[in-house]
Each structure stands twice: as C-alpha cells, then as structure tokens.
Amino acid sequence: MAGIFLCGALAFEPLADAVLGSVGQLSDLNLSGYRQSSVAEGRLSALVPDAGYSVPGKVLRGASEEAEARFRYFLSVFGVEAQQLTVEVQKLWFPAGNPVLPDWDAGIWSARYATLMTRVAFEVMTHRTTYTAQEMAARLPPILARAELWVNQNAEPPTPEHDAERDVIVHAVHRPYMNFFAVQEMDLQFRKQDGTMSEVMNRGALQLGEASVVLPYDPVTDSVLLIQQFRASLLIGGSRAPWVWETVAGMTDPSETPVETAHREAMEEAGLTLWHLEQVADGVSSPGCMSDRLFLYVGLTDLSRLEDGGGLASEGEDIKREIVSFDDLMAGVDSGRYRAIPMLALALWLARHRDRLRAMV
C-alpha cells in the first residue's frame, strides 16, 4: 500500500474527508524539491519539481486501494494527474502539475474555495461509480454552479424567527440522481409553527443553481424582444406544444456575477448589447420543489441593432427571436399566450415602470 500526500486544497480536512471517505490518522511531512502550482482556475493545487522549494502537508500512510482510487479519480475530474514518488521508503501519491502554471495562493483558496470545493467533492464522489472521470469532468460546470448557490445562500443570515441550524434536524442525505440537474433528498425534522418538532419525513428538491433572466426593452420604440425555443421539460410533462415564448435566460457560470450572465446571455441568445440593467427581483422560482435563485432584469437596449443570436449550437439551442410592441406584449399576457412565469413577472413590472424607463432616453 502507498501513502497519499495531502497538501494545499486537499490538506483542508473536510475536503479530504469528502474525497477519500475518511482521512484517518495523518502525519506531518515537509516535501522537499517541489512547489505548489494553481490548477483548475485556482480551485486546487498540484506539485511541480523545484529544488528551491518545499511543500508542507499531511500524509495518510498505508492508504487503502479504495482511498487511492478515490484520490486518483477526483484529481482526474479536474484534469490533474496523480503520480508516485518514494519518500523515506514510503511510496506516496501526490497531485502533479505543470511548472508554467501560477503558484497556488493558500489565502485566496481558503477564503474563496474551501467550502465550495468541499460541496463539489461530496457530489463528485457520491456519483463516481456512475460516471468516468471524463464524464464527470463534462458535468463540472453545473456541479460548480450548484455548489456556488449553496455557498451564497448559506452565507446569508437566518431570520430571528427561524434558523436552520437550530430548527432543522437532518437525519440522512440521499443523492439519487445527478446529470445537468441533480436531485437531493433528506430525511429530516423541522420546527413547526407551534414550536414542536415535526415527525421525521423525507423531502427532496431538484437542485439547479443561480440564473439570470432578462427582458430586453427598447424604450425608444416601446417594444421588447422575446425568444422561442423547444423545452424538453414541457414534453416530459406531457405537453404537445413544448415550444414556449420566454425571455433571455441562462445559468450563471462559476465565478460569474448575475449581471455578467445577463449581458452574456443577451448577446448569445438574442444578439443584443444592453446599455442598462434594471434589477427587478432576486428570488426562488418554485420553493416547494427546487433549490435555485433567479435574478430578474429588464435590460434597456436598441432593438434596431440586432446581431447574430440564436443561442449556442454546442448547447443544442435553437432560438427564434421576435420583436413585440409593449401593447402586444400585454395583450399576450392577458390572453394567456405567454406562459413562462418569469416573463410574466417582468412584463407586469415593466408595465409599472415603463414611463420612468422611457424618460431615461
């Protein structure tokens, strides 16, 4: 059996636990002749040979074959190779990096990525027997997005009346499904309105991430741009008309702000440059069954200057664009032509604030 050298990000014990299953007894080791480089956009570190440096870390000696396999799998998902070397007659697995990469910054990682990567590791390692490392790597963007949502929402303070750490008891966590979306279930109890604890019950949620939704509005022509695309979820739900009119929308990429997402999606899907964003709402779409967070915007733009849009072929998007007058938009809301709830919320907000927006030009 070989040992496993845990350094940098993997020296963070909660992350190491998630990756290895359990870290067990660790011993200190200062590995001479190496330095740490930054990999996976700073989310992890790897070692590169450099005679002038040494790397402090922890060693899990006599690691089991399963622990070694989990370690190699996790690194492979992030494009990092696990290599072996002999130190003090002990063979050690360690993450090997590229010497041209920037040095790893422990302070930045601890502040920005420690909790995020621990969440990512739990999801990745839960499904490691289902997907190869290459298949898992292709699913990293939505995994990172789900983890980012969890970190951001967990950082928000509880209300005086309710605090999940005090008022919820989680007995078990189940992760039965993960692909572009994920499903998580919990066996839990929560404090009821009368102050007593509920019975243990099973509850689940479709896990998404953060997303930006934008209604492009031209205040000069008093018109909006809508898009229509095929939605498999409607087909799966039994609809015979799974093409729906909606607004520009997209999931927030890892480390991207909702505002940046709004501008990016406006160009990708509609071919539009937005010159001003009005934030309409920041909330959840369906709290009874989803864990997500939507940022709703009205984006001011010039609809006479459309560029190529239509979405990304790499994501299977096939988008039709239509410029609709404000009066026709509201007529469609009233008649039920438009069914996407985020678009309806944005249209009704626009009806209240339209005069102010038109006065801005």
Side-chain angles (χ1 to χ4, degrees):
M1 292 184 182
I4 297 175
F5 184 59
L6 302 171
C7 60
L10 287 165
F12 182 60
E13 193 163 326
L15 176 58
D17 272 332
V19 172
L20 301 178
S22 175
V23 294
Q25 188 67 34
L26 300 175
S27 57
D28 294 330
L29 176 66
N30 201 54
L31 188 61
S32 299
Y34 289 87
R35 64 178 172 82
Q36 292 189 82
S37 61
S38 176
V39 296
E41 299 181 5
R43 298 185 184 96
L44 291 175
S45 61
L47 302 186
V48 297
D50 196 319
Y53 290 81
S54 64
V55 178
K58 303 281 187 179
V59 175
L60 175 61
R61 298 186 184 276
S64 66
E65 291 183 1
E66 181 183 359
E68 292 178 17
R70 290 173 68 100
F71 182 71
R72 294 196 301 270
Y73 177 86
F74 183 76
L75 293 180
S76 296
V77 169
F78 288 89
V80 181
E81 180 185 1
Q83 292 187 2
Q84 268 194 353
L85 78 161
T86 300
V87 177
E88 302 171 352
V89 198
Q90 168 78 48
K91 288 184 178 180
L92 297 180
W93 288 103
F94 70 99
N98 187 325
V100 303
L101 293 169
D103 287 350
W104 185 71
D105 190 309
I108 292 176
W109 187 87
S110 179
R112 178 70 183 88
Y113 295 122
T115 305
L116 176 81
M117 286 304 296
T118 302
R119 294 289 304 179
V120 169
F122 274 118
E123 184 165 349
V124 166
M125 301 311 293
T126 295
H127 299 282
R128 72 181 184 89
T129 58
T130 303
Y131 300 107
T132 66
Q134 184 177 11
E135 291 169 337
M136 187 67 75
R139 290 161 173 79
L140 272 180
I143 293 174
L144 286 162
R146 289 191 286 273
E148 192 95 40
L149 170 66
W150 189 94
V151 170
N152 291 342
Q153 296 202 140
N154 191 251
E156 296 178 349
T159 64
E161 297 83 6
H162 302 288
D163 183 344
E165 291 188 1
R166 179 192 66 215
D167 298 325
V168 179
I169 302 172
V170 177
H171 295 271
V173 177
H174 315 283
R175 296 179 173 89
Y177 173 82
M178 185 273 286
N179 201 322
F180 184 78
F181 302 131
V183 172
Q184 181 169 305
E185 296 179 355
M186 288 182 175
D187 299 332
L188 57 80
Q189 293 173 276
F190 67 91
R191 193 173 305 281
K192 297 190 294 184
Q193 302 293 352
D194 64 6
T196 63
M197 297 301 292
S198 72
E199 298 296 322
V200 177
M201 57 186 65
N202 178 271
R203 292 291 184 268
L206 177 64
Q207 292 183 293
L208 306 178
E210 294 181 341
S212 293
V213 184
V214 188
L215 177 63
Y217 174 62
D218 187 333
V220 174
T221 61
D222 196 24
S223 55
V224 301
L225 183 139
L226 305 179
I227 62 174
Q228 185 189 59
Q229 56 185 321
F230 171 77
R231 290 304 194 186
S233 61
L234 299 182
L235 178 70
I236 292 169
S239 174
R240 297 178 63 185
W243 283 263
V244 61
W245 286 104
E246 55 190 52
T247 56
V248 168
M251 301 295 294
T252 301
D253 286 341
S255 301
E256 184 181 48
T257 68
V259 168
E260 291 170 338
T261 302
H263 285 285
R264 174 176 56 80
E265 291 290 346
M267 179 54 68
E268 288 179 4
E269 294 191 345
L272 284 174
T273 298
L274 307 175
W275 56 266
H276 178 70
L277 276 178
E278 289 272 335
Q279 183 166 336
V280 173
D282 163 9
V284 295
S285 63
S286 185
C289 61
M290 291 187 186
S291 63
D292 67 351
R293 188 172 186 174
L294 297 186
F295 294 85
L296 272 60
Y297 301 96
V298 168
L300 303 190
T301 188
D302 181 354
L303 290 179
S304 69
R305 304 183 64 177
L306 284 177
E307 300 181 30
D308 290 338
L312 299 179
S314 61
E315 296 181 2
E317 293 178 323
D318 176 53
I319 293 174
K320 176 182 178 180
R321 301 177 292 180
E322 182 176 278
I323 296 175
V324 177
S325 70
F326 173 78
D327 288 341
D328 286 344
L329 171 69
M330 298 313 295
V333 170
D334 291 340
S335 68
R337 182 190 185 209
Y338 303 129
R339 298 180 292 158
I341 296 298
M343 189 181 86
L344 298 180
L346 286 167
L348 295 173
W349 183 93
L350 178 60
R352 288 193 62 201
H353 296 268
R354 172 168 157 256
D355 291 342
R356 175 175 63 83
L357 298 181
R358 299 198 75 189
M360 294 174 63
V361 294

PDB file of all heavy atoms in Angstrom, residues 291-315:
ATOM      1  N   SER A 291     -34.298  24.008  -5.582  1.00  0.00           N
ATOM      2  CA  SER A 291     -33.334  24.895  -4.944  1.00  0.00           C
ATOM      3  C   SER A 291     -32.624  25.647  -6.061  1.00  0.00           C
ATOM      4  O   SER A 291     -31.816  25.091  -6.799  1.00  0.00           O
ATOM      5  CB  SER A 291     -32.336  24.105  -4.084  1.00  0.00           C
ATOM      6  OG  SER A 291     -31.573  23.233  -4.865  1.00  0.00           O
ATOM      7  N   ASP A 292     -33.012  26.892  -6.222  1.00  0.00           N
ATOM      8  CA  ASP A 292     -32.435  27.734  -7.264  1.00  0.00           C
ATOM      9  C   ASP A 292     -32.487  29.184  -6.801  1.00  0.00           C
ATOM     10  O   ASP A 292     -32.972  29.494  -5.700  1.00  0.00           O
ATOM     11  CB  ASP A 292     -33.174  27.564  -8.596  1.00  0.00           C
ATOM     12  CG  ASP A 292     -34.608  28.084  -8.555  1.00  0.00           C
ATOM     13  OD1 ASP A 292     -35.103  28.419  -7.446  1.00  0.00           O
ATOM     14  OD2 ASP A 292     -35.253  28.165  -9.611  1.00  0.00           O
ATOM     15  N   ARG A 293     -31.996  30.077  -7.626  1.00  0.00           N
ATOM     16  CA  ARG A 293     -32.054  31.503  -7.334  1.00  0.00           C
ATOM     17  C   ARG A 293     -32.070  32.242  -8.660  1.00  0.00           C
ATOM     18  O   ARG A 293     -31.160  32.082  -9.479  1.00  0.00           O
ATOM     19  CB  ARG A 293     -30.851  31.930  -6.500  1.00  0.00           C
ATOM     20  CG  ARG A 293     -30.917  33.369  -5.989  1.00  0.00           C
ATOM     21  CD  ARG A 293     -29.777  33.625  -5.022  1.00  0.00           C
ATOM     22  NE  ARG A 293     -29.856  34.936  -4.398  1.00  0.00           N
ATOM     23  CZ  ARG A 293     -29.033  35.333  -3.425  1.00  0.00           C
ATOM     24  NH1 ARG A 293     -28.080  34.528  -2.996  1.00  0.00           N
ATOM     25  NH2 ARG A 293     -29.160  36.527  -2.891  1.00  0.00           N
ATOM     26  N   LEU A 294     -33.119  33.011  -8.877  1.00  0.00           N
ATOM     27  CA  LEU A 294     -33.282  33.753 -10.119  1.00  0.00           C
ATOM     28  C   LEU A 294     -33.037  35.237  -9.889  1.00  0.00           C
ATOM     29  O   LEU A 294     -33.541  35.819  -8.919  1.00  0.00           O
ATOM     30  CB  LEU A 294     -34.688  33.567 -10.684  1.00  0.00           C
ATOM     31  CG  LEU A 294     -35.108  32.161 -11.103  1.00  0.00           C
ATOM     32  CD1 LEU A 294     -36.477  32.209 -11.759  1.00  0.00           C
ATOM     33  CD2 LEU A 294     -34.094  31.523 -12.041  1.00  0.00           C
ATOM     34  N   PHE A 295     -32.276  35.835 -10.793  1.00  0.00           N
ATOM     35  CA  PHE A 295     -32.081  37.275 -10.816  1.00  0.00           C
ATOM     36  C   PHE A 295     -32.800  37.792 -12.062  1.00  0.00           C
ATOM     37  O   PHE A 295     -32.417  37.466 -13.190  1.00  0.00           O
ATOM     38  CB  PHE A 295     -30.590  37.625 -10.869  1.00  0.00           C
ATOM     39  CG  PHE A 295     -29.837  37.224  -9.626  1.00  0.00           C
ATOM     40  CD1 PHE A 295     -29.337  35.929  -9.488  1.00  0.00           C
ATOM     41  CD2 PHE A 295     -29.635  38.124  -8.587  1.00  0.00           C
ATOM     42  CE1 PHE A 295     -28.655  35.552  -8.345  1.00  0.00           C
ATOM     43  CE2 PHE A 295     -28.954  37.751  -7.439  1.00  0.00           C
ATOM     44  CZ  PHE A 295     -28.463  36.468  -7.317  1.00  0.00           C
ATOM     45  N   LEU A 296     -33.855  38.572 -11.840  1.00  0.00           N
ATOM     46  CA  LEU A 296     -34.684  39.060 -12.930  1.00  0.00           C
ATOM     47  C   LEU A 296     -34.320  40.499 -13.262  1.00  0.00           C
ATOM     48  O   LEU A 296     -34.212  41.345 -12.363  1.00  0.00           O
ATOM     49  CB  LEU A 296     -36.172  38.979 -12.560  1.00  0.00           C
ATOM     50  CG  LEU A 296     -36.900  37.661 -12.866  1.00  0.00           C
ATOM     51  CD1 LEU A 296     -36.262  36.490 -12.128  1.00  0.00           C
ATOM     52  CD2 LEU A 296     -38.375  37.768 -12.513  1.00  0.00           C
ATOM     53  N   TYR A 297     -34.153  40.771 -14.576  1.00  0.00           N
ATOM     54  CA  TYR A 297     -33.771  42.094 -15.037  1.00  0.00           C
ATOM     55  C   TYR A 297     -34.632  42.509 -16.228  1.00  0.00           C
ATOM     56  O   TYR A 297     -35.077  41.669 -17.021  1.00  0.00           O
ATOM     57  CB  TYR A 297     -32.314  42.116 -15.512  1.00  0.00           C
ATOM     58  CG  TYR A 297     -31.290  41.718 -14.487  1.00  0.00           C
ATOM     59  CD1 TYR A 297     -30.796  40.414 -14.428  1.00  0.00           C
ATOM     60  CD2 TYR A 297     -30.776  42.644 -13.574  1.00  0.00           C
ATOM     61  CE1 TYR A 297     -29.844  40.039 -13.501  1.00  0.00           C
ATOM     62  CE2 TYR A 297     -29.819  42.279 -12.640  1.00  0.00           C
ATOM     63  CZ  TYR A 297     -29.358  40.979 -12.609  1.00  0.00           C
ATOM     64  OH  TYR A 297     -28.400  40.605 -11.684  1.00  0.00           O
ATOM     65  N   VAL A 298     -34.815  43.817 -16.353  1.00  0.00           N
ATOM     66  CA  VAL A 298     -35.222  44.427 -17.618  1.00  0.00           C
ATOM     67  C   VAL A 298     -33.985  45.111 -18.168  1.00  0.00           C
ATOM     68  O   VAL A 298     -33.359  45.933 -17.478  1.00  0.00           O
ATOM     69  CB  VAL A 298     -36.375  45.431 -17.429  1.00  0.00           C
ATOM     70  CG1 VAL A 298     -36.566  46.269 -18.696  1.00  0.00           C
ATOM     71  CG2 VAL A 298     -37.667  44.696 -17.095  1.00  0.00           C
ATOM     72  N   GLY A 299     -33.608  44.737 -19.372  1.00  0.00           N
ATOM     73  CA  GLY A 299     -32.398  45.277 -19.982  1.00  0.00           C
ATOM     74  C   GLY A 299     -32.734  46.272 -21.070  1.00  0.00           C
ATOM     75  O   GLY A 299     -33.420  45.935 -22.040  1.00  0.00           O
ATOM     76  N   LEU A 300     -32.266  47.507 -20.918  1.00  0.00           N
ATOM     77  CA  LEU A 300     -32.523  48.524 -21.931  1.00  0.00           C
ATOM     78  C   LEU A 300     -31.537  48.355 -23.083  1.00  0.00           C
ATOM     79  O   LEU A 300     -30.331  48.175 -22.877  1.00  0.00           O
ATOM     80  CB  LEU A 300     -32.402  49.919 -21.320  1.00  0.00           C
ATOM     81  CG  LEU A 300     -33.310  50.208 -20.118  1.00  0.00           C
ATOM     82  CD1 LEU A 300     -33.274  51.693 -19.764  1.00  0.00           C
ATOM     83  CD2 LEU A 300     -34.736  49.751 -20.372  1.00  0.00           C
ATOM     84  N   THR A 301     -32.075  48.425 -24.302  1.00  0.00           N
ATOM     85  CA  THR A 301     -31.266  48.136 -25.481  1.00  0.00           C
ATOM     86  C   THR A 301     -31.831  48.847 -26.689  1.00  0.00           C
ATOM     87  O   THR A 301     -32.908  49.471 -26.629  1.00  0.00           O
ATOM     88  CB  THR A 301     -31.231  46.610 -25.725  1.00  0.00           C
ATOM     89  OG1 THR A 301     -30.289  46.316 -26.758  1.00  0.00           O
ATOM     90  CG2 THR A 301     -32.599  46.081 -26.102  1.00  0.00           C
ATOM     91  N   ASP A 302     -31.119  48.767 -27.798  1.00  0.00           N
ATOM     92  CA  ASP A 302     -31.569  49.307 -29.086  1.00  0.00           C
ATOM     93  C   ASP A 302     -31.907  48.120 -29.970  1.00  0.00           C
ATOM     94  O   ASP A 302     -31.010  47.431 -30.483  1.00  0.00           O
ATOM     95  CB  ASP A 302     -30.457  50.157 -29.704  1.00  0.00           C
ATOM     96  CG  ASP A 302     -30.857  50.780 -31.042  1.00  0.00           C
ATOM     97  OD1 ASP A 302     -31.954  50.461 -31.548  1.00  0.00           O
ATOM     98  OD2 ASP A 302     -30.056  51.564 -31.582  1.00  0.00           O
ATOM     99  N   LEU A 303     -33.193  47.859 -30.168  1.00  0.00           N
ATOM    100  CA  LEU A 303     -33.605  46.680 -30.915  1.00  0.00           C
ATOM    101  C   LEU A 303     -33.408  46.828 -32.421  1.00  0.00           C
ATOM    102  O   LEU A 303     -33.603  45.860 -33.162  1.00  0.00           O
ATOM    103  CB  LEU A 303     -35.076  46.359 -30.613  1.00  0.00           C
ATOM    104  CG  LEU A 303     -35.351  45.836 -29.195  1.00  0.00           C
ATOM    105  CD1 LEU A 303     -36.840  45.577 -29.010  1.00  0.00           C
ATOM    106  CD2 LEU A 303     -34.550  44.570 -28.909  1.00  0.00           C
ATOM    107  N   SER A 304     -33.006  48.005 -32.865  1.00  0.00           N
ATOM    108  CA  SER A 304     -32.700  48.167 -34.290  1.00  0.00           C
ATOM    109  C   SER A 304     -31.302  47.665 -34.618  1.00  0.00           C
ATOM    110  O   SER A 304     -30.913  47.634 -35.789  1.00  0.00           O
ATOM    111  CB  SER A 304     -32.833  49.640 -34.694  1.00  0.00           C
ATOM    112  OG  SER A 304     -31.801  50.422 -34.092  1.00  0.00           O
ATOM    113  N   ARG A 305     -30.528  47.280 -33.587  1.00  0.00           N
ATOM    114  CA  ARG A 305     -29.146  46.861 -33.793  1.00  0.00           C
ATOM    115  C   ARG A 305     -28.950  45.413 -33.343  1.00  0.00           C
ATOM    116  O   ARG A 305     -28.119  45.106 -32.511  1.00  0.00           O
ATOM    117  CB  ARG A 305     -28.199  47.792 -33.045  1.00  0.00           C
ATOM    118  CG  ARG A 305     -28.379  49.266 -33.435  1.00  0.00           C
ATOM    119  CD  ARG A 305     -27.372  50.151 -32.723  1.00  0.00           C
ATOM    120  NE  ARG A 305     -26.002  49.847 -33.118  1.00  0.00           N
ATOM    121  CZ  ARG A 305     -24.933  50.520 -32.683  1.00  0.00           C
ATOM    122  NH1 ARG A 305     -25.088  51.510 -31.810  1.00  0.00           N
ATOM    123  NH2 ARG A 305     -23.723  50.193 -33.092  1.00  0.00           N
ATOM    124  N   LEU A 306     -29.747  44.539 -33.925  1.00  0.00           N
ATOM    125  CA  LEU A 306     -29.626  43.113 -33.621  1.00  0.00           C
ATOM    126  C   LEU A 306     -28.404  42.527 -34.315  1.00  0.00           C
ATOM    127  O   LEU A 306     -28.165  42.772 -35.504  1.00  0.00           O
ATOM    128  CB  LEU A 306     -30.868  42.355 -34.084  1.00  0.00           C
ATOM    129  CG  LEU A 306     -32.143  42.483 -33.243  1.00  0.00           C
ATOM    130  CD1 LEU A 306     -33.272  41.710 -33.912  1.00  0.00           C
ATOM    131  CD2 LEU A 306     -31.915  41.961 -31.843  1.00  0.00           C
ATOM    132  N   GLU A 307     -27.639  41.739 -33.599  1.00  0.00           N
ATOM    133  CA  GLU A 307     -26.548  40.970 -34.177  1.00  0.00           C
ATOM    134  C   GLU A 307     -26.977  39.511 -34.246  1.00  0.00           C
ATOM    135  O   GLU A 307     -28.099  39.158 -33.894  1.00  0.00           O
ATOM    136  CB  GLU A 307     -25.278  41.131 -33.329  1.00  0.00           C
ATOM    137  CG  GLU A 307     -24.793  42.567 -33.211  1.00  0.00           C
ATOM    138  CD  GLU A 307     -23.529  42.681 -32.384  1.00  0.00           C
ATOM    139  OE1 GLU A 307     -22.734  41.720 -32.386  1.00  0.00           O
ATOM    140  OE2 GLU A 307     -23.343  43.722 -31.727  1.00  0.00           O
ATOM    141  N   ASP A 308     -26.053  38.665 -34.731  1.00  0.00           N
ATOM    142  CA  ASP A 308     -26.369  37.231 -34.783  1.00  0.00           C
ATOM    143  C   ASP A 308     -26.619  36.720 -33.381  1.00  0.00           C
ATOM    144  O   ASP A 308     -25.865  36.992 -32.456  1.00  0.00           O
ATOM    145  CB  ASP A 308     -25.216  36.453 -35.420  1.00  0.00           C
ATOM    146  CG  ASP A 308     -25.085  36.741 -36.908  1.00  0.00           C
ATOM    147  OD1 ASP A 308     -26.077  37.181 -37.505  1.00  0.00           O
ATOM    148  OD2 ASP A 308     -23.989  36.522 -37.454  1.00  0.00           O
ATOM    149  N   GLY A 309     -27.697  35.968 -33.230  1.00  0.00           N
ATOM    150  CA  GLY A 309     -28.016  35.356 -31.944  1.00  0.00           C
ATOM    151  C   GLY A 309     -28.436  33.921 -32.167  1.00  0.00           C
ATOM    152  O   GLY A 309     -27.831  33.216 -32.955  1.00  0.00           O
ATOM    153  N   GLY A 310     -29.446  33.497 -31.466  1.00  0.00           N
ATOM    154  CA  GLY A 310     -29.973  32.157 -31.688  1.00  0.00           C
ATOM    155  C   GLY A 310     -29.416  31.098 -30.786  1.00  0.00           C
ATOM    156  O   GLY A 310     -29.734  29.919 -30.947  1.00  0.00           O
ATOM    157  N   GLY A 311     -28.574  31.496 -29.817  1.00  0.00           N
ATOM    158  CA  GLY A 311     -28.051  30.515 -28.867  1.00  0.00           C
ATOM    159  C   GLY A 311     -26.794  29.825 -29.349  1.00  0.00           C
ATOM    160  O   GLY A 311     -26.267  30.107 -30.434  1.00  0.00           O
ATOM    161  N   LEU A 312     -26.311  28.901 -28.533  1.00  0.00           N
ATOM    162  CA  LEU A 312     -25.075  28.174 -28.822  1.00  0.00           C
ATOM    163  C   LEU A 312     -25.404  26.790 -29.361  1.00  0.00           C
ATOM    164  O   LEU A 312     -26.110  26.014 -28.714  1.00  0.00           O
ATOM    165  CB  LEU A 312     -24.220  28.044 -27.556  1.00  0.00           C
ATOM    166  CG  LEU A 312     -23.753  29.356 -26.914  1.00  0.00           C
ATOM    167  CD1 LEU A 312     -22.945  29.057 -25.662  1.00  0.00           C
ATOM    168  CD2 LEU A 312     -22.921  30.178 -27.894  1.00  0.00           C
ATOM    169  N   ALA A 313     -24.859  26.482 -30.546  1.00  0.00           N
ATOM    170  CA  ALA A 313     -25.062  25.153 -31.117  1.00  0.00           C
ATOM    171  C   ALA A 313     -24.482  24.080 -30.209  1.00  0.00           C
ATOM    172  O   ALA A 313     -25.006  22.967 -30.132  1.00  0.00           O
ATOM    173  CB  ALA A 313     -24.433  25.087 -32.501  1.00  0.00           C
ATOM    174  N   SER A 314     -23.392  24.407 -29.512  1.00  0.00           N
ATOM    175  CA  SER A 314     -22.751  23.433 -28.623  1.00  0.00           C
ATOM    176  C   SER A 314     -23.661  23.035 -27.471  1.00  0.00           C
ATOM    177  O   SER A 314     -23.458  21.988 -26.852  1.00  0.00           O
ATOM    178  CB  SER A 314     -21.435  24.007 -28.072  1.00  0.00           C
ATOM    179  OG  SER A 314     -21.685  25.188 -27.322  1.00  0.00           O
ATOM    180  N   GLU A 315     -24.659  23.858 -27.158  1.00  0.00           N
ATOM    181  CA  GLU A 315     -25.612  23.551 -26.090  1.00  0.00           C
ATOM    182  C   GLU A 315     -26.959  23.108 -26.641  1.00  0.00           C
ATOM    183  O   GLU A 315     -27.940  23.019 -25.903  1.00  0.00           O
ATOM    184  CB  GLU A 315     -25.777  24.768 -25.176  1.00  0.00           C
ATOM    185  CG  GLU A 315     -24.495  25.155 -24.443  1.00  0.00           C
ATOM    186  CD  GLU A 315     -24.676  26.340 -23.519  1.00  0.00           C
ATOM    187  OE1 GLU A 315     -25.811  26.853 -23.419  1.00  0.00           O
ATOM    188  OE2 GLU A 315     -23.689  26.751 -22.886  1.00  0.00           O
TER     189      GLU A 315
END
